[in-house]
Amino acid sequence: MRVLIVEDDPILLDGLAIGLGLAGCTVDAVSGCADARLALETSKFDVVVLDLMLPDGSGLDLLKEKRAAGDLTPIVLLTALDRVADRVKGLDTGADDYIGKPFDLDELVARVRAAARRGEGRAEPRLKSGGLELDPARRSVTLDDRPVNVSRREFAVLLALAERPGVIKSKTELEDRLYGWQEEVESNAIEVHIHNLRAKIGRDAIQTVRGLGYRLKAER
Amino acid sequence: MNSLRKRLFIMLAVATSLIWLGAAGWSYMQTKKEIEHVLDARLQEAARMVASLVADGPVAQSQGPVSPPVLQESASYQRQLACQLWSFDGRLLARSSGAPDVHMSELPSGFSDSIVNGEVWRVYAVEDQAKGIRVLVGDRLGLRQRLVAHLIEGLLIPALLVVPLLGLFIWAGIGQGLRPLSSLAASLRSRGADDESHVDGAAAPTEIRPIIDALNGLFSKLATARKHERDVTAFAAHELRTPLAGLKTQAQVALAAADPAMKEAALRQILVAVDRSARLVFQLLALAKLDAGLDMGREEEVNVLALIEEIVEAAKPAQRERRVSLDPRLRGLVIRANRELAALALRNLHENAMIYSPEDGVVQWGLGAGGTTIFVRDEGPGIPEDELPLVTDRFFRGRHKSVSGSGLGLAIVALALGRMGAVLHLRNRLDGPGLLAEVRFAHASR
């Protein structure tokens, strides 16, 4: 799950980036509206965590602008203004969720996951495809009710594929989900993760579509 | 007497009553005069009439009293006139029925007032030398007064009946006249506590317009003050809650992280966050103290260089890498100020310069032009020109934020210097990056 954090307080930004990273998210962190705009134009995020009072403008304006432009990326507002009127305004402007400072990191992560889930158009927190079941909250995978051990990156790849079983995800898309801007991407990293996953959940569970990418086998 | 209506009512009622009383008094006097005049004329006429009736030639011996009453008069004015006919030798020749049998007047002719049998009479005497008789015609003053009293009564009774009615009209009229005031009061009373809209004064009378204008001015001021308050509260909430959120998040990261390096990094961030929160608390306290206008003690001679050295020394542990340079020419500059205020202002300026200076930057304290101005300059990013007028606002944090800034430092500096009568001037350095903060003292000597 790729998350963009827009927050101007360096300590909080750092904590959020690390915290969401620990929860299995791929995180990009920026500290102003301008950077956030640039990030949203150049990459696709599953969720944006947006602070309202930013040094170069209001997060609310950015939200309005994105919604007006037809950008449906789920946005969780993060703010110190948590009067009911502020919350209502935030949600009515097009935010998917609203969390007041100070907050609980676990709660924030859960809200981010829920926002991502709704962004994909599903309500069920766990993803199922045949005998395969993924639980993003616990980052656990089971195959026919038997637990399967996967690494953080492997889980991210599997999650990206399991969101739309049968739909092809290109290698670049998968890399985007896995790595933030600052991270160095090894050229064959995705191939290695796919290889390992196949060893764990079955050879033909993930299909290679030559020249296009990979997909999860729709139904077994 | 705090009711405008009562006040007006009493004033109008008293004025009306006084005018009325005056008018009544005047008409009493006039009526009385007129009645006396008419009655005197009647006496005179009656006396002459009687004298002319007496037969020519000297009056002979007394024929005994005349028994005259001619007419049956109405009860109250019965026998108003009395008539006596005397011979020159002092015999009562004749008298009317109501007349006394002693002389009504000693005067030979003309008008006179006399007391006969305990009653006051008004008498007219006329002599007829040819006939040798004196005719006296008189009436009782008491009767005259009764007549006047009856007339005045006739005037006053309707007036007394009208007075309460008039009072009622005055009362109601004042009520009607004061209606714009009560409708203004009603519209003010029905306002919500946070209603800052203007009162509509278009239809109000000119006397009330100034009040409405003043009220509207007040509402505008109130709205501005409220907005400012809201802004400050919102900023304060942001500035207080954000560090707490950072602290909590970093603490949770420290707990959740398995990697010791990550744990340590989070703990270090917590330390920074605590330092920052502590500084924020100190600054809020300083600001509250300045706001409350507490007396910070008396003014004294303060050696600026010694004060800055003290501040630099106290701030040292946090700034190992950054260098501070003090211009020796500062020595000898003495200001007359409250030491605590001066220290508060200069300390915040110093901390600001330290916070924004890069690791290897130099913070320079120097003496400005004229010898009564000091400055501090850093090598930090400076302040964007458009933000310069705003940085002394509370909780304003511009685009160049620091980790430990609270948005209060420069607000405190400006406030403290203002209290000392000194002036803060901020500008970006022309000779490279950095901010130059200049302080012009009001009472400085070298």
Side-chain angles (χ1 to χ4, degrees):
Chain A
M1 201 163 29
R2 188 156 180 195
V3 180
L4 175 69
I5 304 172
V6 190
E7 163 63 57
D8 61 330
D9 183 80
I11 292 178
L12 181 57
L13 185 64
D14 174 78
L16 281 176
I18 295 172
L20 282 167
L22 285 173
C25 302
T26 304
V27 178
D28 284 303
V30 296
S31 59
C33 286
D35 292 347
R37 229 169 250 132
L38 195 68
L40 285 167
E41 273 161 24
T42 50
S43 310
K44 168 143 180 36
F45 294 91
D46 295 299
V47 179
V48 179
V49 176
L50 179 62
D51 184 26
L52 282 189
M53 287 165 105
L54 293 163
D56 58 347
S58 163
L60 221 48
D61 293 339
L62 180 65
L63 173 63
K64 217 177 283 175
E65 182 185 310
K66 282 287 139 192
R67 290 297 183 243
D71 188 335
L72 298 177
T73 311
I75 293 180
V76 176
L77 291 181
L78 190 66
T79 172
L81 306 171
D82 64 348
R83 286 183 311 165
V84 174
D86 296 319
R87 272 179 271 167
V88 168
K89 195 171 163 198
L91 292 172
D92 281 350
T93 308
D96 296 76
D97 206 348
Y98 197 104
I99 190 164
K101 294 173 184 175
F103 48 82
D104 192 275
L105 184 59
D106 295 336
E107 189 190 348
L108 177 74
V109 172
R111 281 175 191 262
V112 165
R113 261 199 305 266
R117 203 159 62 222
R118 284 197 296 273
E120 291 157 17
R122 60 191 173 85
E124 167 64 38
R126 280 170 299 186
L127 295 98
K128 291 174 193 163
S129 172
L132 194 65
E133 197 174 310
L134 277 79
D135 185 347
R138 294 214 203 89
R139 256 186 298 147
S140 69
V141 181
T142 56
L143 184 63
D144 300 328
D145 294 331
R146 281 176 293 107
V148 179
N149 266 326
V150 291
S151 74
R152 191 168 78 88
R153 293 266 151 94
E154 285 163 10
F155 183 83
V157 172
L158 193 55
L159 186 65
L161 292 172
E163 278 164 9
R164 299 256 192 289
V167 176
I168 301 165
K169 291 260 158 113
S170 71
K171 190 182 155 189
T172 326
E173 269 179 272
L174 291 175
E175 279 173 349
D176 258 5
R177 290 286 293 267
L178 242 59
Y179 300 99
W181 300 322
Q182 280 94 350
E183 289 171 283
E184 197 76 36
V185 185
E186 286 170 48
S187 61
N188 65 342
I190 297 294
E191 280 92 339
V192 171
H193 292 318
I194 296 281
H195 175 80
N196 291 342
L197 279 171
R198 278 176 173 155
K200 290 171 182 176
I201 62 168
R203 277 249 101 53
D204 52 354
I206 299 169
Q207 300 171 331
T208 307
V209 183
R210 225 157 263 297
L212 291 176
Y214 305 90
R215 70 180 170 204
L216 199 66
K217 199 179 159 197
E219 284 293 323
R220 271 205 214 186
Chain B
M1 184 69 58
N2 261 331
S3 156
L4 206 55
R5 192 180 191 173
K6 271 192 202 157
R7 210 146 89 174
L8 279 173
F9 175 73
I10 287 181
M11 269 157 56
L12 283 175
V14 166
T16 314
S17 306
L18 281 179
I19 289 173
W20 210 303
L21 276 177
W26 183 80
S27 56
Y28 171 77
M29 302 300 287
Q30 283 297 318
T31 310
K32 199 175 160 200
K33 211 166 108 189
E34 196 61 30
I35 284 177
E36 272 167 4
H37 183 72
V38 169
L39 292 181
D40 281 354
R42 190 177 64 164
L43 285 184
Q44 208 168 7
E45 208 177 297
R48 284 201 186 116
M49 208 149 69
V50 171
S52 70
L53 283 176
V54 172
D56 281 342
V59 176
Q61 291 300 309
S62 168
Q63 293 145 358
V66 197
S67 50
V70 189
L71 284 169
Q72 285 299 316
E73 295 163 56
S74 71
S76 66
Y77 298 110
Q78 229 173 3
R79 291 179 207 138
Q80 234 191 30
L81 291 186
C83 181
Q84 291 175 327
L85 191 61
W86 296 87
S87 63
F88 279 175
D89 53 3
R91 283 174 302 121
L92 179 63
L93 298 179
R95 63 178 175 113
S96 61
S97 68
D101 45 10
V102 295
H103 267 90
M104 291 198 291
S105 173
E106 301 304 326
L107 271 185
S109 67
F111 286 105
S112 66
D113 291 343
S114 57
I115 298 168
V116 184
N117 298 336
E119 273 185 300
V120 184
W121 288 77
R122 176 84 171 154
V123 182
Y124 183 71
V126 65
E127 275 179 335
D128 192 323
Q129 298 287 346
K131 295 174 184 170
I133 53 161
R134 181 186 293 145
V135 178
L136 298 180
V137 177
D139 57 5
R140 294 181 187 85
L141 271 186
L143 273 177
R144 284 185 170 206
Q145 273 159 7
R146 226 162 72 213
L147 188 64
V148 172
H150 279 175
L151 269 170
I152 293 299
E153 231 169 63
L155 276 175
L156 275 184
I157 286 176
L160 286 176
L161 285 177
V162 161
V163 159
L165 209 62
L166 188 72
L168 209 68
F169 278 132
I170 292 178
W171 183 254
I174 293 172
Q176 193 64 26
L178 291 179
R179 222 178 151 110
L181 267 185
S182 48
S183 75
L184 175 65
S187 88
L188 287 178
R189 213 178 297 125
S190 63
R191 287 167 83 91
D194 48 1
D195 186 0
E196 288 145 359
S197 64
H198 280 193
V199 176
D200 181 23
T206 45
E207 289 84 357
I208 299 186
R209 276 227 64 112
I211 298 179
I212 291 180
D213 288 347
L215 270 177
N216 285 343
L218 194 67
F219 284 139
S220 298
K221 269 188 229 160
L222 200 66
T224 316
R226 274 226 184 115
K227 188 184 174 305
H228 181 73
E229 192 98 331
R230 268 200 295 274
D231 286 353
V232 168
T233 315
F235 276 121
H238 186 258
E239 292 305 324
L240 292 169
R241 284 161 181 247
T242 302
L244 285 180
L247 257 176
K248 186 162 178 177
T249 305
Q250 291 288 357
Q252 285 187 307
V253 165
L255 282 175
D259 179 7
M262 201 181 263
K263 238 186 226 301
E264 198 190 311
L267 288 173
R268 286 197 186 287
Q269 293 280 38
I270 291 175
L271 276 184
V272 175
V274 169
D275 282 347
R276 182 177 62 168
S277 300
R279 181 156 181 268
L280 178 61
V281 169
F282 284 132
Q283 290 194 316
L284 279 174
L285 288 177
L287 207 55
K289 205 169 167 185
L290 282 174
D291 272 344
L294 293 181
D295 187 17
M296 297 186 121
R298 62 195 171 75
E299 291 193 346
E300 57 189 299
E301 306 272 301
V302 179
N303 185 311
V304 175
L305 186 66
L307 185 61
I308 294 174
E309 277 171 342
E310 230 171 76
I311 290 167
V312 170
E313 196 57 39
K316 219 154 204 174
Q319 33 180 278
R320 283 164 208 109
E321 283 82 15
R322 299 177 187 108
R323 288 202 304 119
V324 179
S325 95
L326 303 180
D327 187 342
R329 284 185 304 153
L330 281 169
R331 192 169 309 282
L333 177 63
V334 172
I335 55 168
R336 177 142 194 92
N338 178 287
R339 194 181 168 81
E340 205 181 330
L341 271 179
L344 187 64
L346 297 185
R347 183 166 59 244
N348 273 285
L349 274 181
H350 184 72
E351 281 175 3
N352 226 41
M354 283 299 181
I355 286 168
Y356 287 98
S357 246
E359 295 269 309
D360 55 349
V362 180
V363 168
Q364 291 171 285
W365 280 95
L367 190 70
T372 58
T373 308
I374 64 167
F375 65 82
V376 57
R377 56 183 176 210
D378 59 50
E379 292 171 10
I383 297 174
E385 291 294 329
D386 58 319
E387 289 179 358
L388 273 175
L390 302 173
V391 289
T392 50
D393 287 353
R394 279 166 205 206
F395 290 115
F396 179 85
R397 295 185 71 188
R399 298 196 281 281
H400 296 157
K401 281 186 154 186
S402 72
V403 182
S404 51
S406 64
L408 290 177
L410 288 174
I412 291 176
V413 172
L415 205 58
L417 289 179
R419 290 278 296 276
M420 287 164 53
V423 182
L424 173 69
H425 183 70
L426 297 170
R427 62 170 187 267
N428 286 306
R429 287 174 69 168
L430 299 173
D431 55 343
L435 183 75
L436 189 140
E438 207 174 50
V439 178
R440 189 175 305 115
F441 293 109
H443 313 287
S445 54
R446 293 186 58 82

